Amino acid sequence: MKHADIVNRMTAEEKAAFLSGKSEWESWNFERLGIPSIFMSDGPSGIRKQAGEGDHLGLNPSVPATCFPSSATLCNSWDAALTEEVGEGLGREAMAEGVNVLLGPGMNIKRNPLCGRNFEYFSEDPYLTGKLAAAEVRGIQSRGVAACCKHFAVNSQETRRMAMNAVIDERTLREIYLTAFEIAVKESHPRAMMSSYNEVNGVYANENRHLLTDILRKEWGFDGFVVTDWGASNDHVLGVKNGSNLEMPNPGLDSARELLAGVKSGRISQDEVDQRVDELLDVVLELTAEAKKVRQNHDDHDGSVQASCLDKDAIHRENHQLARRAAAESMVLLKNEDRILPLKSGTRVAIIGDFAFEPRYQGAGSSMVNATKVENIRDLAGGYDLQVVGTARGYRRDGSEDATLIGEAVSLAKQADVVLLFFGLNEQSESEGLDRTHLRIPQNQITLMREIQEANRNTVGIISAGSVIEMPWHSLFKGLLHAYLPGQAGASAMLDVLTGAVNPSGHLGETILNKYEDTPSYSYYPALERNSEYRESVFVGYRYFETADVPVLFPFGYGLSYTTFEYSALQVEESGIRFTLKNTGTRDGAEVVQMYVGMKDSALFRPVRELKGFAKIFLKVGEEKKVSIPFDDKTFRVRNRMTDRWEIEGGTYQISVGSSCRDLRLFASVEKQGDLEQLPYDREKCGCYYKADIRRVSDEAYEEILGYPVPSGSWNQKSLGINDALCQMYYAKSPIARKIYRVLDRKLKKSQAEGGVPDLNTMFQYNMPFRAIAKMTGGLVSMEMVKSIVEMVNGHFFRGMGGVIGGFFRNRKENKQYLRKLN
Ligand code: BGC
C-alpha cells in the first residue's frame, strides 16, 4: 500500500464511507486525517459544474463554460495534437472552477448509428477512438485535473442501459470494445475510469473482476480509481471486492454500512477494502495537492503573473477561439460539385434555415454545457466577404410543415447566387438515455430542400447532427458540409470553411450508410429485454461494409479538401511504412492519411481491412513530405480465446494506404512470423462469420465464437426483482404499480410527442432499476426499503409497506449513528 500510514489511522467506518459519494459530485473528506474531498464534473465537451443543487442529467443549471465540439465532431479532425489542446483547454477550465475530476472522455464504440449517445463518443473504430481519447486525457491531465475515461465497458445502447446485459465473445470484447480503453490507459495514464451501468456477460461492469482487476489493473497497469457511473452500483460489496473504488453519486451511508456488514460476514476482507481505499486515496491526495499548488501560486503572485491560470474570463476567451479552430478542423466536406465551395469573394448568398438563427451545437443529457456564448450564422455572416441577400428560417424546428416559411425561403433563394441551407437533427433526436428509432431528419426540412432546389440549383447544405443520418436527398445539393455538433463557436468555424479561410480537412470517423437496414447489428439492436447479443462480432461499421461489400454513401475515413493530394513511393519496413505525400492542388491544406491492414488467407475470420495507423499532414501548395506510420503491438494481433492471449497469425498481410477506407492509393504486403497455433473456432460451425454474413447469425455459430450456450435473456414476468427496470412494472402483480407504470409511460410519450428538449428525468426513471432508488436518494431510501418496495410491486402490499415504514426509521437512526462516528 502506498499510503499505509493514513489508511492504518482510518477507522473502519471512515474507510467504508470513503468508498461512496458524499454528495452528487463530491467524495468524503476527513479533516482529522488530512483527506480532502474531490469534486467531479461532467464533460466530455465542456465543464458542467453544478454550483447549486446537483443532478446528473443536466437538468439544473451549471456554471458557464466553453462548449467545445462534441467528441464525434472532434474525432473527424483525426488530429491527436489538436485533441490534446482541447483536452488542455478543458483541464484549464476545470482547474479554474475547482473541479478535480472531469468525467470524460466518453469512449464507447459506435456499434449502431441509432445509439442516442453516439454524439458523445468518437468513432466506430477502436484504434482511432483510443488514440484521440489518449490525447484528450493527456491534455486534461497536463493541467492537474484527472480525466475519467467512460463508460467501461460495452455500453453501446441507451435503451434500458441500467438493466442490460451485453453478451459478447472474448475476441470481440478485446479487439473492438476494449482496445480503445487499452490504448488510453497505456498511452495517457488516466487517473480515473468510470464503470458502465450494464452487465458484461452476466456480471455488472462495476463488479466485473475480469474487466476491473484482471484486464484494467493487472494487464494494462491502470493505477487510478474506478468510479461507478451515477447510480450504476448494484452490490457495493461485490463492486469493491472486484476492483471498484468509489460508488457515486450519493447513496447516503447505506452503502458504507453494507460494506461494514460485508467485512463482518466475510463476503469481503478488510485487506480488500484497504486496498481500494489506498488506490482512491492516492488520486485524491495527488489531485488536491495539485489544485492547492495552483491556487497557492496564484495567490503568491497576487493573482497577476499567474492570472491566466485561474482567470476564468481569460480562459473563456481563449477557449472560445480554440473551440472555433477545433470545429473548423473537424468539419467534413462531403460534396463539392462544380467547385461551388469555397464561396468566391462577394458572392450573393441567401442564408436559410432555423439552425442559422439558433444553432444546433451540442447534444442533450449529462454532457450538456451552459455555454459562455453561442454564435450564430445570421449575426456573423456579414463580417465575411459575402453579400448576404437575406435570411429566412425556412422550417420549423419541431418538424411541423409551414408553407409560409417555405414561401419566404424560396423567394429569397431566387435572389441569390448561392443558397446556404442550414439543417439537420433537432434537439429531441440526440440524447443520453434514449436511442433513436430511425436515421431520418425531419420531413419538413426535406420538403424545404426540394423547393429550394427548384428555385436555385446552386445550393450548399450545412448539416448539424452528432451522429449518422440517412441522406437520400444529397443529390439536391451541389455542396455538402457536415459540421456535426460543432460547439459554441460552430458558426464562425462554418463560415471560415465555407469562405475558404480554412481549407476543410475533416474525415469521417464513422460510415454514413445508405439506409439503416444495412447496419451490421440491425437485427440485434437495441435489445429490448435483458440481453444485448453482439452476434455481429468484430464486424462493426466499415469492418462489415468493406468485408461484405455493402455500398455506402460516404465511407469511413472520407473527407474532401479544396486542394488535392498525391500519394507515392510506399515502402514497407520492419517497423512501419513510409510514403510520399504531395499537395498537388492550388491551396495549402491538410490530408488525413490512413493505414489499413488485412490478411486475405487468414485461417480466422477477419475484416478485410482494419485501421492500424493514421496521421494528419499539413502541406503548402506544391510541398511534399515523407510520411512514416509505425507498426505497433496492435498492428497484427488477434485475440485467441482458446489460449487467452494476443497472438499473431503467420503469413502475408496486405497493407493499404489512402484517404478513406475505400479510397486507397498505395498497396503493399508484408510477411509476418506468427505464434498462433491453435485455431479458436471450428470453421464448419461458424462459417457465416467467414463470409461476413452476420446479420442473422444462428445460435450454433454464435455459440461457437462465445464458447458457451447463448444465455436466456427473457424477463422473469412472474415477479420483479431489485434489478428490474421500473418500466417492467407493466408486468407487475400490484395494480398500483401497473398504474405507476402507465403514468410514467404516458408522461414519456407526451414529452416525445411535444418535441423540444427530451424529458430526461422521466426517461431515466422509466429505465432505471429499483435498486437505483437507494443509490440516488442521498440516504433517504435504504436498500432494505427498496426490497420492500419491490415486494409491494409483486403484490404483497401490506408486508412491503411494513418493510418500507420499518426500514425508513431504521435507516434514519443508523444514518445518524454513523454520522456521529465520522465526526
Ligand atoms: C452518465 C455519465 C455521467 C454521469 C454523471 C450518467 O448518467 O452516464 O456519463 O458522467 O451521469 O452526470
Side-chain angles (χ1 to χ4, degrees):
M1 271 197 303
K2 258 178 146 173
H3 303 281
D5 52 329
I6 304 180
V7 178
N8 292 339
R9 280 163 48 223
M10 291 173 85
T11 63
E13 282 79 11
E14 284 166 339
K15 290 175 188 170
F18 189 52
L19 298 183
S20 48
K22 175 179 147 185
S23 71
E24 184 74 25
W25 303 112
E26 287 164 300
S27 67
W28 279 91
N29 56 312
F30 303 107
E31 268 173 38
R32 114 189 147 79
L33 298 155
I35 304 176
S37 72
I38 48 170
F39 198 99
M40 291 161 261
S41 276
D42 266 311
S45 49
I47 314 300
R48 187 175 68 87
K49 181 181 181 188
Q50 288 186 317
E53 208 182 324
D55 70 82
H56 77 292
L57 293 172
L59 306 174
N60 291 322
S62 49
V63 299
T66 311
C67 179
F68 286 97
S70 72
S71 303
T73 316
L74 197 52
C75 174
N76 296 331
S77 74
W78 293 61
D79 190 335
L82 176 71
T83 309
E84 190 166 334
E85 268 188 79
V86 169
E88 202 177 333
L90 288 164
R92 282 181 77 192
E93 225 167 296
M95 180 56 88
E97 287 297 350
V99 169
N100 306 103
V101 181
L102 180 60
L103 303 174
M107 303 177 52
N108 295 95
I109 294 298
K110 299 181 190 188
R111 175 189 182 208
N112 185 295
L114 291 180
C115 175
R117 254 181 131 168
N118 275 355
F119 70 89
E120 253 185 275
Y121 302 143
F122 289 93
S123 172
E124 65 190 28
D125 181 85
Y127 195 84
L128 181 58
T129 299
K131 290 287 176 183
L132 295 184
E136 188 169 323
V137 170
R138 279 194 298 272
I140 294 170
Q141 298 198 155
S142 70
R143 291 298 175 143
V145 170
C148 178
C149 299
K150 66 189 190 184
H151 309 88
F152 191 63
V154 208
N155 178 187
S156 294
Q157 83 170 51
E158 288 300 285
T159 308
R160 304 191 68 254
R161 62 180 171 155
M162 294 176 93
M164 186 266 292
N165 174 31
V167 179
I168 185 167
D169 67 282
E170 186 70 15
R171 175 176 170 200
T172 306
L173 174 71
R174 297 285 197 144
E175 292 184 15
I176 304 294
Y177 294 92
L178 296 189
T179 291
F181 288 101
E182 178 186 353
I183 294 174
V185 170
K186 290 185 176 165
E187 297 183 12
S188 66
H189 191 222
R191 301 301 277 137
M193 181 72 70
M194 184 186 289
S195 58
S196 56
Y197 286 123
N198 52 292
E199 293 167 87
V200 179
N201 291 327
V203 183
Y204 280 99
N206 189 57
E207 296 164 12
N208 202 309
R209 190 169 195 81
H210 185 49
L211 288 179
L212 302 188
T213 298
D214 299 341
I215 298 179
L216 181 65
R217 285 197 192 271
K218 293 196 181 149
E219 223 180 283
W220 300 345
F222 175 77
D223 66 355
F225 72 97
V226 173
V227 56
T228 68
D229 197 343
W230 268 226
S233 172
N234 165 51
D235 181 329
H236 188 46
V237 174
L238 284 183
V240 173
K241 189 175 179 66
N242 290 303
S244 175
N245 302 84
L246 179 61
E247 173 181 332
M248 288 302 285
N250 49 351
L253 290 158
D254 194 37
S255 292
R257 285 198 302 268
E258 264 179 41
L259 207 51
L260 290 175
V263 174
K264 210 163 169 191
S265 69
R267 282 184 78 210
I268 184 169
S269 70
Q270 187 62 53
D271 281 355
E272 287 167 318
V273 173
D274 288 359
Q275 185 59 38
R276 294 294 97 76
V277 169
D278 188 55
E279 288 154 1
L280 177 59
L281 197 55
D282 190 47
V283 188
V284 167
L285 295 178
E286 178 187 303
L287 294 175
T288 47
E290 196 60 40
K292 199 169 159 194
K293 216 162 66 194
V294 171
R295 274 178 205 278
Q296 192 67 51
N297 221 337
H298 178 75
D299 296 345
D300 288 353
H301 290 81
D302 236 7
S304 54
V305 180
Q306 289 290 316
S308 62
C309 245
L310 294 174
D311 176 348
K312 289 186 206 170
D313 287 341
I315 296 174
H316 289 162
R317 268 195 313 277
E318 286 165 29
N319 275 352
H320 185 81
Q321 289 314 318
L322 175 57
R324 172 180 178 171
R325 185 153 54 86
E329 296 294 323
S330 304
M331 290 182 187
V332 186
L333 182 63
L334 295 176
K335 207 175 157 177
N336 198 12
E337 280 173 16
D338 301 340
R339 295 183 178 234
I340 191 165
L341 292 175
L343 297 168
K344 289 172 197 64
S345 133
T347 306
R348 292 159 44 78
V349 294
I351 291 178
I352 298 176
D354 198 68
F355 287 6
F357 293 67
E358 280 146 45
R360 172 85 213 298
Y361 63 101
Q362 65 171 332
S366 62
S367 67
M368 201 159 178
V369 172
N370 177 10
T372 54
K373 65 170 178 187
V374 181
E375 297 178 348
N376 70 66
I377 296 285
R378 183 190 51 180
D379 293 349
L380 294 182
Y384 287 75
D385 188 8
L386 300 169
Q387 280 186 58
V388 180
V389 297
T391 55
R393 287 194 186 253
Y395 56 86
R396 283 182 183 276
R397 217 175 180 96
D398 65 6
S400 58
E401 299 284 349
D402 188 324
T404 315
L405 288 182
I406 293 187
E408 282 166 17
V410 166
S411 62
L412 187 62
K414 287 183 181 152
Q415 301 163 36
D417 300 333
V418 174
V419 178
L420 299 178
L421 179 53
F422 295 82
F423 64 96
L425 285 177
N426 57 16
E427 283 74 9
Q428 185 74 19
S429 309
E430 290 180 284
S431 171
E432 174 176 342
L434 177 75
D435 291 316
R436 286 189 290 166
T437 52
H438 60 77
L439 299 182
R440 299 185 294 278
I441 57 167
Q443 184 57 41
N444 65 341
Q445 298 185 13
I446 301 177
T447 312
L448 173 73
M449 280 173 200
R450 295 218 167 93
E451 300 274 344
I452 298 276
Q453 202 259 357
E454 297 265 296
N456 192 333
R457 272 290 293 133
N458 291 325
T459 301
V460 174
I462 299 96
I463 306 168
S464 296
S467 37
V468 172
I469 53 175
E470 287 168 349
M471 303 183 185
W473 33 258
H474 66 91
S475 57
L476 298 174
F477 296 95
K478 277 195 177 171
L480 261 184
L481 178 67
H482 202 329
Y484 269 71
L485 294 180
Q488 67 180 49
S492 50
M494 285 171 182
L495 288 163
D496 289 346
V497 173
L498 292 168
T499 55
V502 171
N503 188 351
S505 61
H507 283 233
L508 294 171
E510 61 191 344
T511 310
I512 298 189
L513 32 67
N514 281 316
K515 51 184 193 313
Y516 175 61
E517 290 73 5
D518 293 337
T519 307
S521 53
Y522 174 74
S523 328
Y524 320 122
Y525 190 97
L528 296 176
E529 296 222 332
R530 181 165 174 257
N531 286 351
S532 175
E533 296 174 348
Y534 284 59
R535 289 194 187 224
E536 73 282 7
S537 177
V538 293
F539 294 103
V540 175
Y542 75 91
R543 285 173 164 73
Y544 168 68
F545 300 122
E546 295 311 289
T547 314
D549 220 356
V550 177
V552 300
L553 187 59
F554 297 112
F556 173 80
Y558 171 89
L560 301 176
S561 164
Y562 296 150
T563 189
T564 48
F565 298 95
E566 189 184 87
Y567 292 63
S568 63
L570 175 63
Q571 283 169 280
V572 182
E573 291 156 9
E574 186 57 31
S575 59
I577 62 164
R578 276 166 190 278
F579 60 96
T580 306
L581 185 74
K582 182 169 184 187
N583 182 342
T584 48
T586 52
R587 282 172 180 263
D588 300 346
E591 169 73 323
V592 172
V593 295
Q594 301 154 44
M595 175 180 78
Y596 294 90
V597 176
M599 188 189 215
K600 271 193 202 124
D601 305 318
S602 175
L604 304 168
F605 62 81
R606 287 174 187 260
V608 66
R609 67 185 65 92
E610 298 180 270
L611 182 78
K612 298 291 180 174
F614 63 90
K616 189 154 189 180
I617 310 290
F618 178 84
L619 294 174
K620 293 198 166 302
V621 174
E623 191 188 358
E624 71 173 39
K625 259 188 200 156
K626 270 258 172 244
V627 178
S628 21
I629 301 181
F631 296 147
D632 60 24
D633 60 328
K634 321 238 164 16
T635 313
F636 302 105
R637 71 179 194 180
V638 281
R639 187 76 193 182
N640 189 336
R641 87 167 163 77
M642 288 304 187
T643 54
D644 211 10
R645 283 195 319 167
W646 289 107
E647 292 174 345
I648 293 179
E649 185 180 4
T652 311
Y653 287 83
Q654 293 76 43
I655 312 279
S656 41
V657 181
S659 181
S660 84
C661 72
R662 285 211 170 160
D663 180 7
L664 299 167
R665 315 278 181 89
L666 301 171
F667 303 89
S669 59
V670 62
E671 292 296 318
K672 285 303 283 183
Q673 299 281 342
D675 58 357
L676 184 140
E677 280 157 15
Q678 190 185 0
L679 280 184
Y681 323 108
D682 176 345
R683 191 174 180 147
E684 292 289 296
K685 289 192 183 149
C686 58
C688 62
Y689 287 107
Y690 284 80
K691 293 180 270 172
D693 179 11
I694 43 74
R695 302 189 11 129
R696 297 236 164 243
V697 171
S698 68
D699 282 357
E700 191 200 21
Y702 186 37
E703 287 176 358
E704 183 56 20
I705 66 163
L706 275 178
Y708 50 85
V710 182
S712 158
S714 51
W715 281 348
N716 172 3
Q717 296 176 7
K718 293 211 182 85
S719 67
L720 299 182
I722 58 167
N723 287 329
D724 288 318
L726 264 53
C727 60
Q728 287 172 249
M729 283 194 288
Y730 174 80
Y731 298 112
K733 289 223 176 76
S734 150
I736 305 175
R738 289 201 302 274
K739 174 90 186 147
I740 296 173
Y741 163 79
R742 283 197 298 275
V743 171
L744 269 178
D745 194 53
R746 253 202 312 273
K747 226 173 129 191
L748 195 65
K749 291 202 172 113
K750 189 163 165 264
S751 81
Q752 277 162 0
E754 277 169 359
V757 176
D759 180 355
L760 292 179
N761 230 345
T762 312
M763 223 145 55
F764 188 79
Q765 288 158 6
Y766 190 84
N767 285 309
M768 137 183 145
F770 289 95
R771 67 164 195 278
I773 303 174
K775 301 294 185 187
M776 307 194 69
T777 41
L780 200 67
V781 179
S782 66
M783 199 51 97
E784 179 194 359
M785 290 162 71
V786 169
K787 287 180 185 152
S788 301
I789 293 172
V790 174
E791 279 206 72
M792 288 162 71
V793 168
N794 285 330
H796 307 291
F797 183 80
F798 292 106
R799 199 163 70 203
M801 186 51 108
V804 171
I805 296 171
F808 175 77
F809 288 108
R810 248 188 310 282
N811 184 43
R812 214 168 60 164
K813 191 170 128 209
E814 288 173 8
N815 277 346
K816 277 191 191 151
Q817 284 171 351
Y818 203 126
L819 264 180
R820 272 201 295 274
K821 289 190 188 159
L822 292 184
N823 291 325

